Amino acid sequence: MSERKVLNKYYPPDFDPSKIPKLKLPKDRQYVVRLMAPFNMRCKTCGEYIYKGKKFNARKETVQNEAYLGLPIFRFYIKCTRCLAEITFKTDPENTDYTMEHGATRNFQAEKLLEEEEKRVQKEREDEELNNPMKVLENRTKDSKLEMEVLENLQELKDLNQRQAHVDFEAMLRQHRLSEEERQKQEQEEDERETAALVEEARKRRLLEDSDSEEDAPAPAPPRLALRPKPTAILDEAPKAKKKAESWERSVGTLGSRPQLSGLVVVKKADPGRSTQQGQVSPTTQGPARSGKAADSAAWTPGASSLSQLGAYSDSEDSSGSN
């Protein structure tokens, strides 16, 4: 039993390859291939756009009776992705491109049209120079003039590059930065001047309004100058204060003198004989005694102030007046 994956096959000694029948295929046979759209196109049936690079399962065949320098030309059949209409295009080995044949129109072929136009102009020029010698001279003159202009432009570019080769870009950037800072500083100064002018104008307007209001209002009295006190004025003030104190003592009495306030209240002496009979005393007789003791304590308290003694003095006078 032979191997499954072998590269060499066994040929018997009596093998004759000429006896093998050849497979005869038609020349216009079609193959199914997988390809991508070579250019942007638009379907003529439904107007669907098919962009470049979209993949199709196409049928490929060889075009009969067409060749370029012995190279065969192939035709491809694809279907629209929307309406399934058949679109055909074929190869163009002369221009290394593809040509639209049927079912769609090609988009964005401006470059190809430009190249075709240049070729057409070049061909017409060659035909014209072939029959007109003066035209040849004119064309040569134009070409030489154009060439001189191109050389001059090229020389200018070289000179410009040489000048730029010695330019210090860091210094240029530094100079630009400084000029930018100066411009910002100048703008800031202008803003400050405008602000100061506006403030000054507002102040002048306010002063004018104040002056108008002062003219309408009555003129205020001139301020009086404060008189400076004389050094001997304190001697004149001392008798006045003494007179005020004397008038107060005459009306009320002295607050700090204890003998005068204590003399106004008479302390009632307790009877030792009656102390034994304190339990038999009626409540009516006991009340005045308690009130007298309260008056005595109110009249003289060791820790009381002068103002409290004055209140006690007024209470004693009221009680004596009622009696």
Side-chain angles (χ1 to χ4, degrees):
M1 186 174 181
S2 63
E3 293 291 336
R4 183 172 61 89
K5 294 181 179 181
V6 294
L7 300 177
N8 299 324
K9 295 182 179 180
Y10 174 74
Y11 294 98
D14 57 348
F15 174 74
D16 188 4
S18 61
K19 294 180 180 180
I20 299 174
K22 293 183 179 180
L23 182 64
K24 294 182 180 179
L25 298 176
K27 294 183 180 180
D28 56 351
R29 183 187 175 186
Q30 294 182 353
Y31 301 90
V32 177
V33 295
R34 182 77 170 173
L35 57 79
M36 292 187 294
F39 47 77
N40 298 324
M41 64 185 78
R42 184 182 182 186
C43 180
K44 290 182 179 180
T45 305
C46 63
E48 177 72 9
Y49 286 95
I50 300 173
Y51 58 87
K52 180 180 179 180
K54 188 172 181 61
K55 294 183 178 180
F56 292 93
N57 293 324
R59 291 180 289 112
K60 172 188 145 183
E61 69 177 7
T62 304
V63 180
Q64 299 297 324
N65 302 325
E66 287 188 21
Y68 175 75
L69 301 177
L71 298 175
I73 297 175
F74 301 100
R75 182 182 288 115
F76 300 93
Y77 298 87
I78 62 174
K79 290 185 178 181
C80 177
T81 56
R82 183 177 180 183
C83 64
L84 300 179
E86 193 173 54
I87 300 172
T88 62
F89 56 90
K90 59 183 180 179
T91 59
D92 186 10
E94 183 179 0
N95 300 315
T96 62
D97 198 3
Y98 293 83
T99 57
M100 195 71 220
E101 191 174 22
H102 174 72
T105 57
R106 184 172 178 175
N107 300 332
F108 308 110
Q109 51 181 352
E111 185 178 357
K112 182 179 179 181
L113 296 176
L114 181 61
E115 292 177 357
E116 291 178 356
E117 184 66 20
E118 290 179 355
K119 290 180 180 180
R120 185 183 61 80
V121 171
Q122 184 68 20
K123 187 175 181 180
E124 290 179 356
R125 179 179 177 180
E126 290 177 358
D127 295 340
E128 190 176 5
E129 289 178 355
L130 184 61
N131 299 325
N132 190 355
M134 294 300 296
K135 194 68 176 179
V136 176
L137 183 60
E138 291 178 3
N139 292 337
R140 287 179 181 177
T141 306
K142 289 181 180 179
D143 293 341
S144 62
K145 186 177 180 180
L146 180 62
E147 186 177 359
M148 291 177 64
E149 291 178 357
V150 170
L151 291 175
E152 289 178 0
N153 294 334
L154 182 59
Q155 188 64 29
E156 289 179 1
L157 291 175
K158 289 182 178 180
D159 297 340
L160 182 60
N161 291 335
Q162 289 179 359
R163 288 197 299 269
Q164 289 182 352
H166 301 287
V167 173
D168 188 3
F169 293 100
E170 295 294 335
M172 291 177 62
L173 293 174
R174 196 179 306 109
Q175 184 67 23
H176 176 70
R177 196 180 302 109
L178 292 176
S179 61
E180 187 69 19
E181 292 178 357
E182 291 178 358
R183 185 180 62 81
Q184 292 179 359
K185 186 176 180 181
Q186 186 177 1
E187 290 179 356
Q188 186 176 2
E189 291 178 356
E190 291 179 358
D191 294 341
E192 291 178 356
R193 285 197 296 270
E194 291 179 359
T195 305
L198 292 175
V199 171
E200 185 67 20
E201 185 178 355
R203 189 178 65 81
K204 290 181 180 180
R205 190 184 300 110
R206 188 164 56 252
L207 291 175
L208 290 174
E209 292 175 357
D210 295 342
S211 62
D212 295 339
S213 60
E214 288 177 359
E215 290 177 359
D216 297 339
R224 296 181 180 179
L225 297 176
L227 298 177
R228 298 179 64 182
K230 296 180 180 180
T232 58
I234 191 172
L235 300 177
D236 298 336
E237 293 177 358
K240 294 180 181 179
K242 188 175 181 180
K243 290 179 181 179
K244 289 181 180 179
E246 290 177 356
S247 63
W248 170 262
E249 290 177 357
R250 284 196 302 270
S251 61
V252 177
T254 58
L255 300 178
S257 58
R258 288 183 180 178
Q260 294 178 2
L261 291 176
S262 60
L264 294 176
V265 180
V266 179
V267 180
K268 187 176 180 180
K269 297 180 180 180
D271 191 359
R274 292 182 181 180
S275 61
T276 58
Q277 300 177 358
Q278 188 174 2
Q280 299 177 2
V281 177
S282 64
T284 57
T285 58
Q286 192 176 1
R290 289 181 180 179
S291 64
K293 291 180 180 180
D296 189 8
S297 63
W300 170 245
T301 304
S305 63
S306 301
L307 294 176
S308 61
Q309 293 175 3
L310 178 60
Y313 169 69
S314 60
D315 292 341
S316 64
E317 285 183 349
D318 294 341
S319 60
S320 61
S322 62
N323 291 331

